[in-house]
Amino acid sequence: MTIAAVDYDGLIPNNVALGQDVRVKRALEKWHPGYINWWNDMGPEGFQESLVYLRTAVGVDPKGWAKFDYVRMPQYRWGVLLAPQMEGRKIPFGRHKGEDVWQEVPGEYRAMLRRLIVIQGDTEPASVEQQRHLGKTAPSLYDMRNLFQVNVEEGRHLWAMVYLLQKYFGADGREEAEALLERRSGDADTPRMLGAFNEKTPDWLSFFMFTYFTDRDGKMQLEALAQSGFDPLSRTCRFMLTEEAHHMFVGETGVTRIIQRTCEAMKEAGIGDPHDIGKVRKLGVIDLPTIQKKANLHFSLTLDLFGSEISTNAANAFHAGIKGRYRENRLTDDHQLEHDTYPVLRLIDGKIQNEDAPALSALNMRLRDDYVADCNVGIGRWNKVIESFGIPFEIKLPHVAFHRHIGEFSKIKADVAGSVLADGDWSARRRDYLPSDEDRDFIESLMRPQFEPAKFASWIAPPKVGIDNKPGEFEYVKIV
Ligand code: BYC
């Protein structure tokens, strides 16, 4: 394995020898102003002149790939970075299993690959658009910096996909790269491609839930694409995963700190009943039942991102060697799955039941199962905090049939335990499961900025450690 040095001399930092690839270099340089215009129009609102203590990728060696420094966001060095090429890598699954990986796009899989890369690319700017208003209500400079770090890295992930489109898909790729800058999250005429990326992220609890749940879909999908027989895609996704880990850290620790603060305030005030919402809210913290409702919302919206439980697209992509399973290389079956089955939760005669389906068709379901297991790990940690205060409350993931818009359960209404409800019952109980207008208004009322170093809004505890081991009073953003 050789680690190519990153070239920082040109407009676009890269480790793909862009200097010797005049066609792609020109295409990316031509795309660059449109990207900066998009960032200025749709990236974080305000703070563009502020100095933000950001990490920038300067290499792809897992032992030391980033450096930290104050940067104005529009001057961030968005670059094209691929994980090192692995000598002799073979296609790990599907009908081409064991053949050499492809360094060029196989003609027969061109459309399929392009579609997957475009969908992946579309989510990156979408999330920046969704989060663009949050800077002005940041609960601390530490959190503001983390938001902007996530935003610039999502921008870099867009660059990663655009590089693949420009390099390997000719004129179609250039058109798709332009279209990625034209769609807008939530726009009635030109929305982003996947449902969850057109939802609002109106407050910081939503932001942390989004980075916990939705960025975790990013992790699962990138892990599946990192297995790809198309080696440039695999290498690109492998490096994106390195950055993605921080985004989920922001989500998990953000929610932990909110829970921590709520529990502390309840204890100080001698409130033992977590359902005494009125009293808890008077303390200026977010009650645990509302945190649960936000988790219900973001988890269910994110489940939709896995597509239908039974999917020919997923079967074809696996069979072709284009998109694998979560950590395919650690699985011990034949990696072809032509004779296997997988249990799929389906709606049969109005009841939710498991049914064995051909394993190839059930790959979205399988990835979703891996995702749910991964979500539960951090939730266990949230519950440990609540337990340590002796408060009788447990955050739980809702049933996978709850509040779905894609797939098997989009036709029914189910409660959080997975019982099928009549439409009238759903309308009556919806506010017990999902944030109501009053819940949203309450959370919004707390979203007041706290921009003094070392200070935090009333509803969130400080982090245990600073970014880059900086001390508590460190000024993560110098606001201009
Ligand atoms: N909304 O066979 P089906 C991330 C469409 S997140 C709207 O059931 P398939 C990030 C589907 O396109 C990770 N449409 O599903 C996180 C298809 O349409 P066509 C993003 C949907 O194709 C946070 C039709 O329904 N990456 O990185 O097996 C911040 C039938 O589809 C939806 C990827 O998703 C939906 N939710 O699987 C920043 C990886 N679901 O083609 C970033 C690439 C399905 O028939 N994408 N449809 O017109 C894929 O692997 C697959 O496209 C999907 C869907 C998993 C999304």
Side-chain angles (χ1 to χ4, degrees):
M1 202 164 78
T2 44
I3 298 184
V6 179
D7 171 3
Y8 265 89
D9 290 341
L11 178 67
I12 303 155
N14 71 90
N15 69 348
V16 292
L18 211 51
Q20 288 145 47
D21 196 343
V22 179
R23 184 187 65 80
V24 178
K25 184 166 176 270
R26 286 222 183 102
L28 288 172
E29 284 173 354
K30 216 167 146 207
W31 187 79
H32 185 264
Y35 172 81
I36 295 293
N37 287 342
W38 166 81
W39 179 269
N40 288 330
D41 291 350
M42 297 311 294
E45 195 191 343
F47 308 101
Q48 298 288 349
E49 289 303 311
S50 298
L51 288 166
V52 188
Y53 192 68
L54 293 175
R55 75 175 180 190
T56 303
V58 291
V60 290
D61 185 341
K63 286 192 219 95
W65 57 273
K67 77 170 177 31
F68 288 83
D69 208 347
Y70 283 108
V71 179
R72 287 189 177 83
M73 285 185 279
Q75 271 123 49
Y76 188 78
R77 302 297 310 273
W78 283 287
V80 176
L81 299 167
L82 272 59
Q85 187 163 351
M86 280 145 72
E87 303 283 332
R89 181 170 174 254
K90 306 287 179 205
I91 299 172
F93 59 90
R95 63 183 278 240
H96 301 287
K97 188 185 139 205
E99 296 173 19
D100 287 344
V101 289
W102 305 297
Q103 298 303 335
E104 294 295 330
V105 176
E108 57 189 312
Y109 304 138
R110 189 184 157 88
M112 184 193 286
L113 257 171
R114 194 183 76 189
R115 176 177 165 276
L116 290 175
I117 293 170
V118 167
I119 294 179
Q120 180 62 49
D122 193 68
T123 63
E124 315 290 0
S127 67
V128 177
E129 292 164 4
Q130 288 172 295
Q131 296 162 12
R132 69 182 302 256
H133 303 297
L134 291 172
K136 55 182 194 268
T137 56
S140 70
L141 293 179
Y142 165 89
D143 290 291
M144 183 192 274
R145 177 261 165 216
N146 281 347
L147 166 73
F148 295 156
Q149 182 73 61
V150 169
N151 292 162
V152 292
E153 285 176 353
E154 299 302 7
R156 205 203 67 73
H157 292 180
L158 171 61
W159 273 92
M161 291 301 122
V162 163
Y163 167 72
L164 294 177
L165 289 169
Q166 302 269 22
K167 177 154 174 83
Y168 296 100
F169 294 88
D172 307 357
R174 283 196 294 282
E175 262 174 45
E176 295 284 15
E178 288 305 322
L180 285 166
L181 295 176
E182 281 157 18
R183 287 186 286 273
R184 291 285 180 269
S185 174
D187 191 279
D189 301 321
T190 53
R192 291 291 171 186
M193 298 172 87
L194 300 177
F197 291 91
N198 289 304
E199 298 285 331
K200 288 201 162 58
T201 311
D203 57 68
W204 278 78
L205 178 54
S206 290
F207 170 66
F208 292 132
M209 290 292 181
F210 184 96
T211 39
Y212 186 77
F213 287 112
T214 310
D215 279 79
R216 194 172 304 276
D217 169 50
K219 166 183 160 181
M220 304 310 287
Q221 301 290 350
L222 290 174
E223 287 271 8
L225 293 172
Q227 304 292 334
S228 185
F230 178 48
D231 205 39
L233 176 62
S234 164
R235 291 173 58 202
T236 302
C237 292
R238 268 167 23 226
F239 186 64
M240 287 162 77
L241 280 162
T242 316
E243 293 163 311
E244 198 68 32
H246 173 68
H247 306 185
M248 285 175 293
F249 162 87
V250 168
E252 182 179 332
T253 54
V255 177
T256 306
R257 289 162 53 216
I258 294 177
I259 291 175
Q260 167 94 20
R261 187 67 206 107
T262 300
C263 295
E264 281 166 6
M266 285 173 67
K267 194 172 169 200
E268 281 155 25
I271 301 170
D273 179 4
H275 296 281
D276 202 342
I277 289 171
K279 270 198 196 157
V280 175
R281 287 187 177 181
K282 279 209 185 97
L283 306 172
V285 295
I286 307 176
D287 51 285
L288 298 175
T290 299
I291 295 174
Q292 172 72 65
K293 286 193 214 174
K294 281 272 193 183
N296 292 347
L297 176 66
H298 287 270
F299 177 67
S300 58
L301 289 172
T302 306
L303 289 182
D304 284 340
L305 295 174
F306 289 84
S308 305
E309 288 80 351
I310 301 288
S311 163
T312 317
N313 286 341
N316 291 342
F318 184 88
H319 191 60
I322 298 293
K323 182 180 174 190
R325 289 171 291 177
Y326 179 55
R327 300 189 172 157
E328 184 74 43
N329 48 348
R330 296 194 197 168
L331 302 174
T332 52
D333 53 25
D334 71 356
H335 302 278
Q336 289 181 316
L337 307 180
E338 285 176 31
H339 312 290
D340 296 355
T341 59
Y342 188 83
V344 175
L345 215 50
R346 306 203 65 174
L347 192 66
I348 302 166
D349 301 329
K351 291 204 186 81
I352 298 169
Q353 296 174 31
N354 258 319
E355 185 182 72
D356 279 344
L360 279 172
S361 315
L363 283 163
N364 286 345
M365 173 80 196
R366 179 172 185 139
L367 194 61
R368 199 185 76 193
D369 282 346
D370 290 331
Y371 168 78
V372 174
D374 206 54
C375 284
N376 267 318
V377 176
I379 290 184
R381 287 195 278 260
W382 295 345
N383 284 328
K384 283 230 161 65
V385 175
I386 304 175
E387 208 184 299
S388 72
F389 285 86
I391 296 171
F393 194 90
E394 196 186 338
I395 310 259
K396 288 194 189 111
L397 288 180
H399 193 278
V400 292
F402 169 76
H403 189 237
R404 298 298 307 281
H405 298 94
I406 299 276
E408 212 49 34
F409 306 118
S410 56
K411 305 170 215 91
I412 54 157
K413 299 275 186 265
D415 68 11
V416 286
S419 304
V420 181
L421 298 176
D423 279 356
D425 290 344
W426 165 255
S427 309
R429 290 169 64 185
R430 187 192 158 101
R431 50 176 296 132
D432 297 338
Y433 305 138
L434 292 170
S436 64
D437 289 346
E438 294 89 83
D439 296 331
R440 284 196 202 96
D441 290 349
F442 169 67
I443 295 174
E444 208 187 301
S445 75
L446 294 180
M447 296 297 124
R448 287 191 223 104
Q450 177 49 272
F451 293 169
E452 264 183 67
K455 294 226 167 139
F456 289 82
S458 66
W459 49 270
I460 190 162
K464 284 211 174 83
V465 261
I467 293 294
D468 192 28
N469 281 323
K470 291 294 175 207
E473 70 277 10
F474 186 73
E475 194 174 3
Y476 287 99
V477 183
K478 293 186 182 172
I479 296 176
V480 178

